[in-house]
Amino acid sequence: MPSTPMPKVELPVQDSAHHQFWRTPLWSWWRPMVAVVLGLLAFFVLSMIAGMVAIGLDMASGRTTVEDLQNMDAESIKATPALFLVNNISLALLIPLAILLSVWLFRQKGGWLVSVTGRIRWGWMGRCFAVLGPLWLVYVGLDTWLRARSGEGLGLHVNSDTWLLLFGILLTTPFQAAGEEYGFRAVLMRSAASFFRHRWLGFAVGAIFSSVLFMFAHGAGDMWLNIFYFCFGLIACGMTLRTGGIEAAIAMHVVNNVLSELTMPFTDISGIFNREAGTADATVLVGVLVPLIGWALVEWQARKSDVVASAAPGLARQQELDEQLATWQQQMITWQRAQAGPGSTL
C-alpha cells in the first residue's frame, strides 16, 4: 500500500496573535529569513529606482540639470515634488511585495497579513479613523497655530507645485503609509516573532526588530527624530497586537502623514528630507505622546466592539488531517497484516 506524505497546515493551529501567524506547522527557519532579506533588498531597490525616476522627471522638466547632478552630494540633495511623489509610490509597492512574500513563502493569502480574520475589517478601520482623525487634527492644528505665532511664521503661499502636491498627497500618501505597515508591522515583525513559540517573547523581539528597522529606514541623523520613529513603530506594533490586525496602525499612520503634510503644497519642500542632527529637539516627545493617546482611543474602541485579537484558523484543517492520518495508519496496519498472512503477529 503506497504511502502519501500528509500536507502541512499553512495557518495557525493554536490560538495566535497577529505576529504569530507565520508560526505554523509549515514554518521552517529559512522562510522568515528569506522574507526579511528579500523584503529589505526590495525596499533598497525600490528606493534607488524611485530616486532615479525622480531625477529623470526633474531633468525632463528642466528642474534639474546635468551640472546640478555633478555638483550634488548626499547632503545637498533637495526634495522636489517628483522625488516626494515617486518615493510615496515606491513605498506603496511594499503592499503587493508583502502579499507576494506571504503567498510564496508561507502559502497565506494577502488577507492574513492584515488581520487574524483573513481580511481587511473595513468597519473596524473606519472606527479607528473616526477616533484618531480628530486627535491629529487638534495636534496638527495646534502645532500649526504655534508656528504661525512664532517670529518666523508659516510663509504659506500658492506656488507652481501647489496643486500637484495637494492632489499627490491625497492620492499617494495613504498608500505609502499602508505600505510601510504591510512591510514593517506585517512582514518584518512576523518574521522575527516567528522564531519564538512564546507569544510575549515573540512580540517583544518582533516589535523591537521591526521598530529599529523602521527607524533606520527614515535615515535620520538626529537623535530626537530617531526616538520618535522608534516609538511610533513600537506603538503601531502594540496596536497590532491588541487589535489582531494592522488596520489601526494603518489608520494612525495615514492620519499622521496626511494631516502633517497638508501645508507642504504651500511651502518650499526642498528641505523635507533633511533629518540631520540638530533638526529636532526634545519637543518631538510631544509627537510621541499623541500616538500613545491614539493607542488608548483604539483600545477603548476595541473593547467596545469586541475586536478579534487572536485566532486559530488552521485548527479545523489540522484536525481533519489528523483524522485522515489515523485512518491511513489503520489501513496500513490492515494491509500489512494481509501481506504477512495467517499467523502473523502484526
Side-chain angles (χ1 to χ4, degrees):
M1 182 177 181
S3 61
T4 303
M6 301 299 289
K8 293 183 178 180
V9 179
E10 69 277 3
L11 291 169
V13 298
Q14 298 178 340
D15 191 53
S16 301
H18 183 272
H19 65 278
Q20 298 176 294
F21 257 57
W22 282 354
R23 185 74 190 197
T24 69
L26 184 67
W27 186 88
S28 299
W29 64 269
W30 61 270
R31 296 179 189 274
M33 293 188 69
V34 171
V36 170
V37 171
L38 290 182
L40 293 177
L41 179 62
F43 178 81
F44 175 76
V45 171
L46 287 173
S47 299
M48 294 296 293
I49 293 175
M52 291 188 291
V53 170
I55 289 174
L57 291 173
D58 284 335
M59 291 186 68
S61 65
R63 188 185 291 265
T64 300
T65 65
V66 175
E67 290 73 18
D68 293 332
L69 296 178
Q70 292 174 341
N71 298 325
M72 186 180 296
D73 54 34
E75 296 182 355
S76 62
I77 295 177
K78 302 296 183 182
T80 65
L83 180 59
F84 171 76
L85 295 176
V86 173
N87 180 67
N88 269 8
I89 294 171
S90 70
L91 291 172
L93 290 176
L94 291 177
I95 298 174
L97 171 66
I99 293 173
L100 286 174
L101 290 175
S102 181
V103 172
W104 175 48
L105 291 171
F106 299 94
R107 300 179 192 171
Q108 294 181 6
K109 66 178 184 178
W112 296 112
L113 280 173
V114 182
S115 78
V116 298
T117 65
R119 59 183 177 82
I120 300 176
R121 298 168 292 186
W122 293 106
W124 165 240
M125 185 183 285
R127 276 177 173 259
C128 294
F129 274 111
V131 296
L132 295 174
L135 172 64
W136 255 267
L137 277 173
V138 172
Y139 167 56
V140 173
L142 180 60
D143 178 68
T144 303
W145 179 74
L146 290 174
R147 287 189 291 119
R149 289 182 58 85
S150 67
E152 298 179 0
L154 296 177
L156 301 181
H157 61 280
V158 176
N159 54 66
S160 58
D161 297 322
T162 293
W163 296 112
L164 172 64
L165 280 172
L166 188 59
F167 286 109
I169 288 169
L170 295 176
L171 290 175
T172 66
T173 294
F175 293 101
Q176 166 262 320
E180 292 188 21
E181 294 308 315
Y182 270 82
F184 290 94
R185 253 58 72 184
V187 172
L188 293 180
M189 181 165 72
R190 275 188 175 181
S191 295
S194 70
F195 283 94
F196 304 91
R197 294 183 182 276
H198 193 277
R199 175 176 298 194
W200 291 105
L201 178 58
F203 172 73
V205 173
I208 293 173
F209 176 72
S210 63
S211 298
V212 167
L213 291 179
F214 181 71
M215 176 186 74
F216 282 129
H218 284 81
D222 185 86
M223 176 188 70
W224 295 109
L225 286 178
N226 282 325
I227 290 174
F228 170 76
Y229 293 131
F230 179 74
C231 291
F232 190 95
L234 281 183
I235 293 168
C237 290
M239 285 184 175
T240 300
L241 171 69
R242 295 294 295 126
T243 64
I246 61 174
E247 297 102 335
I250 289 175
M252 178 178 71
H253 210 145
V254 170
V255 167
N256 177 80
N257 286 17
V258 170
L259 292 182
S260 63
E261 292 172 359
L262 284 182
T263 58
M264 278 177 44
F266 306 96
T267 61
D268 174 16
I269 69 166
S270 61
I272 61 171
F273 292 142
N274 178 18
R275 295 162 181 161
E276 62 186 16
T279 55
D281 54 35
T283 58
V284 78
L285 296 179
V286 176
V288 176
L289 178 62
V290 174
L292 281 173
I293 296 173
W295 186 5
L297 292 173
V298 166
E299 178 73 19
W300 166 54
Q301 286 299 306
R303 291 176 181 272
K304 285 185 62 177
S305 55
D306 293 325
V307 170
V308 177
S310 61
L315 179 58
R317 176 60 176 160
Q318 184 64 61
Q319 291 172 340
E320 179 184 341
L321 291 177
D322 289 343
E323 291 174 1
Q324 292 177 5
L325 179 60
T327 301
W328 177 83
Q329 289 173 336
Q330 185 60 47
Q331 291 173 345
M332 278 294 295
I333 293 172
T334 302
W335 179 79
Q336 289 172 346
R337 285 175 176 172
Q339 291 297 309
S344 171
T345 57
L346 287 176

